[in-house]
Structures are given as structure tokens and as C-alpha cells.
Amino acid sequence: MSFGDPNNPYGQQPPQGGQPYGYPQQPQGQPGYGYPQQAPQGVPPQAGYGYPQQPGQQYPGYPDPQQQMYGGRPPYAHWGLRFLATLVDGLVLLLAYVPAVIGAAMGSDSAAAGILGLISIVAIFGVAIWMLVQEGKSGQTVGKKALGIRLLREIDGQPMGVGMAFVRRLAHFLDSIACYLGWLWPLWDDKKQTFADKVCSSVVVKG
């Protein structure tokens, strides 16, 4: 019993326009690999693999860094706000000296004076470390929060992190080395930065 053309040893003709047996069949209407795919209705078309991205096109879920920094960035904090914030931080740190002052008034021979002095030392280091952590994580110390300003990374507007906040404090040495000129630099600088800000790529903004 035979099927189809008797001259065909397999008894069946391959379909017209099809691929030989053993090769993957190409679906109807679907472009091959390397060609842009047809986007479904309601979905914006995207370039295929290996095709250059159109100018101005952004991948979904990734904000434009220039738009984020220069389009939505709050204004820079001027020198007066920064000075007042530093003054408030200094007053908070000064409170940690109160136990030592009380101990000194009691006399150096008193055991209580020694205990109060130790409490004061621990409080000074504790307050300083706490404010450093707050500045690194949120961009605000007590003074900055009271004045409504924030320390951020210049490149992306995010908090600097505790490590870089500590490095920035060390870099304030550069602000003092040239007759304290670096501390006054925000008065005329376009980005209101000190020398330490420029070295650490940080800015202080309102908000």
C-alpha cells in the first residue's frame, strides 16, 4: 500500500515552502533571530538585539542621571545656613561636656568628679559618632535637620554613607590649611562647596 507519489521513497511530499526534515520550522510571520520583533498592540516598540539604542531612549526602571540631578535637584544651601547648622551641632556636642564641668566644680580630689569626667568623655565620643552615622545615612545632623539642609553625593543625590562622611570630615583639614579659606569658599562658589566637598564630590542642598 503506497501514499502520495509512488516515486517518492518516503511516501510523502514535503510541504511547499517548508524546511527539510531535521531543520527547525520557521513560524509564519515571525522574523528570524537578530531582527526586531513586532511589539504587541499597546506596547511601545523596542530595538532588537544588537541594534543601537535611539538617542534619548532610556531603559525602563533606570532614571536619567542628568534629569535626576539637574532637573529635580533642590537648590544649594548657602553659606549662612551651613554655618548655623555647624553652630547647632557644636552646641549639641557642648552638652556632652556638662558632666565634666560639674565634676571640675566638685574638685579634682572627689571620686564623683572622676566618674563625671569619664561620663563626659564617653558622651562626647558617643554624640560625635551618632551624628556622623546620621549624616552618612540620611545626610542630616541635628543642626542640618534643624536648618532644613542635607549633605548628598553630587553624582546621584543620595546620602554619602558613613565611610565617605567620615572621609569628608577628615578632608576639612584642607579647608583650614589655607588660612581657613576653604570654609568661606561657598560664599562665591557656584555649587556652594568647600574644598572638602570638592574632594569628596559632595553638595549641601536645601530640603
Side-chain angles (χ1 to χ4, degrees):
M1 187 175 182
S2 62
F3 297 91
D5 188 354
N7 295 323
N8 186 1
Y10 296 96
Q12 185 177 0
Q13 291 286 349
Q16 294 294 328
Q19 297 289 340
Y21 182 80
Y23 289 83
Q25 299 294 323
Q26 184 72 21
Q28 294 294 331
Q30 181 178 357
Y33 178 80
Y35 289 86
Q37 303 292 323
Q38 185 70 25
Q41 186 176 3
V43 178
Q46 298 180 356
Y49 179 80
Y51 281 75
Q53 189 180 11
Q54 295 297 328
Q57 181 180 359
Q58 293 293 326
Y59 290 106
Y62 291 86
D64 187 352
Q66 288 187 339
Q67 182 179 7
Q68 184 178 14
M69 275 304 298
Y70 299 102
R73 177 189 51 76
Y76 298 116
H78 57 77
W79 184 86
L81 289 175
R82 297 180 61 154
F83 173 76
L84 291 176
T86 303
L87 186 62
V88 172
D89 289 338
L91 293 175
V92 172
L93 192 61
L94 190 62
L95 294 176
Y97 286 89
V98 172
V101 173
I102 296 175
M106 296 174 61
S108 58
D109 296 335
S110 173
I115 296 176
L116 290 174
L118 181 60
I119 293 175
S120 184
I121 293 174
V122 173
I124 291 170
F125 278 98
V127 171
I129 293 174
W130 176 76
M131 286 201 295
L132 175 64
V133 172
Q134 292 300 311
E135 187 174 45
K137 289 185 174 181
S138 66
Q140 290 183 312
T141 59
V142 176
K144 286 183 174 64
K145 189 172 184 178
L147 273 297
I149 60 178
R150 191 182 300 269
L151 174 68
L152 302 173
R153 287 196 302 253
E154 183 179 5
I155 189 172
D156 57 5
Q158 297 298 314
M160 297 188 66
V162 178
M164 281 305 299
F166 178 70
V167 172
R168 178 179 175 271
R169 294 200 177 190
L170 295 179
H172 279 312
F173 168 76
L174 300 173
D175 297 326
S176 304
I177 195 174
C179 300
Y180 300 96
L181 181 63
W183 296 102
L184 301 176
W185 204 261
L187 286 171
W188 52 78
D189 187 72
D190 292 338
K191 298 180 180 180
K192 307 293 189 260
Q193 290 175 306
T194 63
F195 294 164
D197 287 323
K198 293 184 179 298
V199 169
C200 298
S201 299
S202 60
V203 290
V204 179
V205 298
K206 297 179 180 179

